[in-house]
Amino acid sequence: MMQNNHITNHLNSSPPSSLAGRGLGGGVSWQSPPDLWKQLKPFAKQMRTEPTLAEKQLWQRLKNKQLLGFKFRRQQVIDRFIVDFYGHEIKLVIEVDGEVHNCTQVEDAIRQEFLESLGLRVMRFKNEDILFRIEGVLEEIAHCLE
């Protein structure tokens, strides 16, 4: 399913964000500037209603504190980016990478470096990992949580 990644952003952005990662340019602080927040919030909400199959399957195992009692959010806005899953209490971002990420490795690295600069840990999993070995993925996440 193709996500709508075209939202007009009139704010300056630096560094460039990953279109494939669903991030948008803008501010540099933990809180998004109000104009950017107005754009990101409805986009994140739309993305929650249209998850990829891998995102849907992983969410079924993360929601309602099923994994070691930790709460996760879906399609969470963090500054200029929307991350797939976020555990605030443990400052953990989980990204689900589809085929398009094969072409956006530089942008994904910039995005990850930025998120890590905020003190967040970032775990990335390919769609195939979630679809065909979800128990192993959950074990890796649980290991990171312990």
Side-chain angles (χ1 to χ4, degrees):
M1 177 182 314
M2 185 68 157
Q3 299 289 334
N4 179 5
N5 290 323
H6 303 287
I7 293 181
T8 304
N9 181 17
H10 60 279
L11 302 172
N12 294 329
S13 70
S14 166
S17 60
S18 169
L19 201 59
R22 301 177 185 155
L24 298 172
V28 293
S29 65
W30 175 258
Q31 290 292 333
S32 300
D35 289 346
L36 181 59
W37 177 250
K38 288 178 187 174
Q39 293 174 338
L40 289 175
K41 187 176 178 183
F43 189 51
K45 185 176 181 179
Q46 175 191 348
M47 291 168 54
R48 283 191 291 273
T49 64
E50 300 173 3
T52 66
L53 181 58
E55 289 170 347
K56 187 175 183 177
Q57 286 189 8
L58 185 55
W59 180 240
Q60 292 302 313
R61 303 295 295 271
L62 293 178
K63 69 180 181 179
N64 300 324
K65 300 183 179 182
Q66 292 180 78
L67 190 60
L68 301 176
F70 289 100
K71 178 179 176 144
F72 284 90
R73 301 173 187 160
R74 299 186 287 156
Q75 306 304 336
Q76 176 68 41
V77 176
I78 298 177
D79 194 86
R80 69 181 128 247
F81 299 108
I82 300 172
V83 300
D84 292 328
F85 300 97
Y86 177 58
H88 178 72
E89 178 184 353
I90 45 159
K91 297 186 184 299
L92 177 63
V93 170
I94 301 172
E95 292 284 57
V96 179
D97 294 343
E99 285 183 28
V100 72
H101 288 270
N102 295 335
C103 302
T104 61
Q105 293 175 353
V106 171
E107 292 90 346
D108 287 345
I110 291 168
R111 173 187 169 98
Q112 183 161 335
E113 183 178 339
F114 178 80
L115 292 169
E116 288 173 347
S117 78
L118 298 174
L120 304 175
R121 292 178 290 171
V122 179
M123 297 184 79
R124 303 189 84 85
F125 296 98
K126 293 184 178 188
N127 281 349
E128 297 79 21
D129 293 334
I130 294 166
L131 296 174
F132 300 114
R133 58 172 213 90
I134 191 146
E135 294 303 325
V137 167
L138 293 170
E139 286 176 22
E140 286 183 50
I141 297 169
H143 181 72
C144 185
L145 297 173
E146 293 175 332

